[in-house]
Amino acid sequence: MKLRRITDDTHLLWLVMALPGLWLLYERLVLHTKMDYIWWTGLPSVWFLILSLAVTPLQQLFRRPLPWLRQRRRYFGVASFGYAALHTFIWLLGVNMGGLVRSFQRIDLVTGWVAMAIMTVLAATSFDTAVDRMGPMWKTVQRWAYPMAVLTLLHWIMTDYGGWREVAVYSVPLILLEGWRVRRYRRRMRRV
C-alpha cells in the first residue's frame, strides 16, 4: 500500500523528471562545470518523448493496459517539452541575432524549430481544460507528436550530437515498436 502511494504521487514523479534539470543547474551554478548544456538538455527531452510515444505500442504488444504509464503519458510529453524549451533557450543564449536568422536557412536547425513549434502546440493543448474544450479534435492535434518525433530525430542526426550510434540507441526501440504497431493496424484493416 505504501509503495502504491509513492508511485501514485504525481509531485514525486515531477520531482524525478526534474532531476536531470536540477543536476544541470547544480553543475552550472555550484560547480561551474564547463559542459555541453545544449546536449544535456536535449537528451532528457528525447528520453521523455520516446517514453510518451512508446506507451500505446507497449500496451498493444503486451495485450493489456499499462494504466500507470497510460495515466502519466501526458506528463512525460510535457516534461519532454520542458527540456526542449530549456534546450532552445540555452542555444539562444549562445547566438546573436544574425545567427538566429541564419538558423532558419539551415535544414539541421529548421527541423528543430519546426519540431519545437509542434511541441509547443502539443504542450499547450495537453491540459485537462484543453482536452475538454477540444473534444475529439484533441486526439487529432496530439497525433502531430509522430511527425514531431521524426523531425526531432532528424534534427539530432543532422546536428551530429552523439552521432548515429547515440541516435540509434534511443530511437530504434521506438521505431521497432511503432513499425510493429503500423503492421498490426494494416493487418486488422485487411480483415475488415
Side-chain angles (χ1 to χ4, degrees):
M1 187 66 173
K2 192 172 186 178
L3 179 62
R4 186 170 176 92
R5 232 179 301 143
I6 291 170
T7 59
D8 286 347
D9 187 343
T10 55
H11 295 97
L12 182 60
L13 176 63
W14 281 108
L15 176 65
V16 169
M17 290 190 297
L19 286 176
L22 294 172
W23 171 73
L24 289 172
L25 203 57
Y26 177 77
E27 288 282 334
R28 178 74 179 122
L29 298 177
V30 177
L31 300 179
H32 305 288
T33 306
K34 299 268 187 203
M35 64 190 313
D36 189 349
Y37 291 99
I38 293 173
W39 163 254
W40 285 107
T41 51
L43 193 58
S45 178
V46 170
W47 290 340
F48 290 120
L49 173 63
I50 289 171
L51 181 58
S52 68
L53 292 175
V55 172
T56 300
L58 283 172
Q59 286 183 146
Q60 292 172 345
L61 182 65
F62 293 119
R63 296 179 184 208
R64 53 174 267 192
L66 302 171
W68 191 90
L69 281 174
R70 192 180 66 240
Q71 292 165 1
R72 288 149 184 86
R73 179 180 14 208
R74 278 193 276 165
Y75 298 161
F76 302 137
V78 171
S80 176
F81 168 74
Y83 283 106
L86 185 59
H87 175 77
T88 305
F89 176 73
I90 290 170
W91 182 84
L92 286 170
L93 289 175
V95 297
N96 58 24
M97 188 55 77
L100 176 61
V101 171
R102 282 190 302 278
S103 74
F104 291 99
Q105 299 169 346
R106 293 178 47 189
I107 191 68
D108 59 333
L109 298 179
V110 168
T111 54
W113 283 118
V114 175
M116 187 66 201
I118 294 170
M119 193 178 262
T120 302
V121 172
L122 296 176
T125 58
S126 68
F127 299 96
D128 290 338
T129 306
V131 175
D132 293 341
R133 284 187 184 165
M134 294 177 75
M137 181 71 173
W138 179 82
K139 191 97 169 153
T140 304
V141 170
Q142 292 299 310
R143 285 196 178 110
W144 276 90
Y146 298 102
M148 183 267 303
V150 170
L151 288 168
T152 300
L153 291 175
L154 288 173
H155 169 69
W156 193 5
I157 291 167
M158 288 189 284
T159 53
D160 201 32
Y161 271 99
W164 279 93
R165 279 190 217 151
E166 191 81 27
V167 175
V169 165
Y170 293 107
S171 60
V172 166
L174 180 63
I175 291 168
L176 291 173
L177 280 171
E178 288 298 336
W180 175 83
R181 181 181 180 195
V182 167
R183 193 168 148 230
R184 179 178 179 263
Y185 175 76
R186 283 184 180 164
R187 267 191 278 162
R188 282 178 45 200
M189 293 310 290
R190 276 189 224 135
R191 289 182 200 150
V192 174

